[in-house]
Amino acid sequence: MKIVFMGTPEFAVPSLQMLLAEGYDVAAVVSQPDRPKGRKKVLTPTPVKEVAVEKGIPVLQPLKLRSPDSVEELAKLQPDLIVTAAYGQILPKAVLDLPRLGCINVHGSLLPEYRGGAPIQRSIMNGETVTGVTIMYMAEGLDTGDMISRVEVPITDEDTAGTMFEKLSVAGANLLRETLPELIAGRIEAMKQDDSLATYSPNLTRDDERIDWTRSSREIFNQVRGLVPWSGGFTLWQEEVFKVWACRISSSTSDAAPGKVLACDSNGIEVKTGDGSIILTQVQPAGKKAMDAAEFVRGGKMTKGTLFT
């Protein structure tokens, strides 16, 4: 049985590695094109491509999967099954119809909740305590296909988007290992999604990163965790971006205005929120590297009474 694997970031790597370790015939890997990375804009392969090249598997990197040339190239491979995980492009019907066993996707949420491009980040930002992975048949709609299997994974207060990506990528690979033999043997009874329960998780924008200090401490805490390690949250200090990479909820109370700094000491920077306060523990002033908030405080550039906007 011939499989084509489609994936791009680290999230997809454990699923590809599982297929190879279990001896499946991966005829080709499809990944997003190499992108410039870092200050020097070095053209960098995707994590999935790196694994494929290391294993000697042919790699396709079409700019547009829906182009006739891309579809024709895939058709020549005559795949029995296409497995996708965070590939990053919508599969056109011409591709969905190619494999006799269909196209399946490893999705980082408990569908039908959090359909879309940022399910893991938005699960954390919304304060969920449980998320998971769903393996589903792919359809023309956005994450609307019938569900094949799924597994729950708890979210703790110590988790960030980064740690949950790791946990869910491994959970997805394990679920794929359990599911594929049943699918190949024709013993799968897929279940339709209840569209009335569907929620959406659009890709993150700059607006998602800005901290609104009138929100509750828990909401801000969840927001920052959901944005780490990629962008972090930000506020403005002296009209410049001041990033927040880590914080914790404080039990103290104050009548100060939201955004006002209540304390600067070895514990970090305590800031008033809509219902209490939080303590910033890792920050990044404009033009500087990320650092412990206590280290920043020792520099003496911020004082009690400062107002973040």
Side-chain angles (χ1 to χ4, degrees):
M1 192 191 69
K2 196 182 294 183
I3 293 176
V4 167
F5 183 82
M6 297 184 178
T8 297
E10 291 286 352
F11 177 83
V13 168
S15 289
L16 174 58
Q17 290 173 325
M18 184 282 296
L19 292 175
L20 299 173
E22 294 291 315
Y24 288 103
D25 178 11
V26 180
V29 161
V30 183
S31 196
Q32 291 279 47
D34 297 353
R35 306 288 189 199
K37 196 172 182 180
R39 289 188 176 182
K40 295 184 178 179
K41 304 294 182 187
V42 177
L43 206 58
T44 305
T46 70
V48 164
K49 179 183 176 181
E50 287 184 337
V51 173
V53 170
E54 181 186 334
K55 299 296 184 182
I57 301 169
V59 178
L60 310 178
Q61 294 180 281
L63 282 175
K64 292 183 179 179
L65 188 64
R66 61 178 58 253
S67 73
D69 288 348
S70 299
V71 175
E72 184 179 348
E73 199 168 11
L74 277 174
K76 288 178 181 174
L77 294 171
Q78 298 183 313
D80 298 296
L81 176 70
I82 291 177
V83 178
T84 75
Y87 168 52
Q89 291 192 41
I90 294 175
L91 275 58
K93 189 173 187 307
V95 172
L96 294 175
D97 290 342
L98 277 179
R100 65 180 178 85
L101 293 176
C103 301
I104 64 172
N105 181 41
V106 181
H107 183 78
S109 85
L110 297 172
L111 292 172
E113 295 181 343
Y114 293 98
R115 294 172 176 172
I120 299 173
Q121 298 96 322
R122 292 202 183 274
S123 293
I124 297 172
M125 293 169 77
N126 289 343
E128 304 287 359
T129 56
V130 176
T131 182
V133 176
T134 304
I135 294 180
M136 53 174 282
Y137 283 114
M138 299 187 75
E140 288 188 84
L142 180 63
D143 299 327
T144 56
D146 293 351
M147 299 181 293
I148 300 169
S149 58
R150 63 182 199 163
V151 61
E152 293 186 355
V153 178
I155 303 174
T156 72
D157 274 358
E158 287 70 41
D159 281 315
T160 64
T163 64
M164 288 310 300
F165 263 80
E166 285 186 34
K167 291 180 181 180
L168 293 174
S169 66
V170 173
N174 291 335
L175 186 62
L176 189 61
R177 179 189 292 111
E178 297 168 5
T179 302
L180 274 183
E182 301 299 307
L183 186 149
I184 293 167
R187 293 193 290 266
I188 289 293
E189 290 187 17
M191 185 170 66
K192 289 193 177 300
Q193 296 187 41
D194 185 345
D195 291 339
S196 68
L197 301 177
T199 58
Y200 291 89
S201 55
N203 290 329
L204 298 173
T205 69
R206 186 69 167 162
D207 288 342
D208 291 307
E209 299 170 16
R210 183 156 188 171
I211 295 172
D212 176 358
W213 295 104
T214 66
R215 300 180 76 193
S216 71
S217 299
R218 168 57 66 172
E219 288 173 325
I220 294 171
F221 175 67
N222 291 337
Q223 177 189 8
V224 171
R225 292 190 303 131
L227 295 167
V228 171
W230 292 283
S231 65
F234 81 88
T235 184
L236 294 182
W237 174 53
Q238 296 177 341
E239 299 184 355
E240 291 192 311
V241 168
F242 187 86
K243 286 202 169 192
V244 179
W245 290 103
C247 59
R248 66 174 185 269
I249 299 172
S250 170
S251 58
S252 65
T253 58
S254 165
D255 294 328
K260 179 158 284 192
V261 173
L262 304 176
C264 289
D265 53 33
S266 58
N267 291 317
I269 304 167
E270 183 170 7
V271 188
K272 179 70 173 67
T273 64
D275 67 345
S277 64
I278 61 173
I279 298 174
L280 313 186
T281 56
Q282 190 174 35
V283 299
Q284 183 176 8
K288 302 288 185 182
K289 292 182 178 179
M291 65 182 82
D292 287 342
E295 178 186 350
F296 172 73
V297 168
R298 282 197 294 273
K301 294 183 178 179
M302 183 175 288
T303 57
K304 179 180 176 181
T306 293
L307 185 66
F308 287 124
T309 58

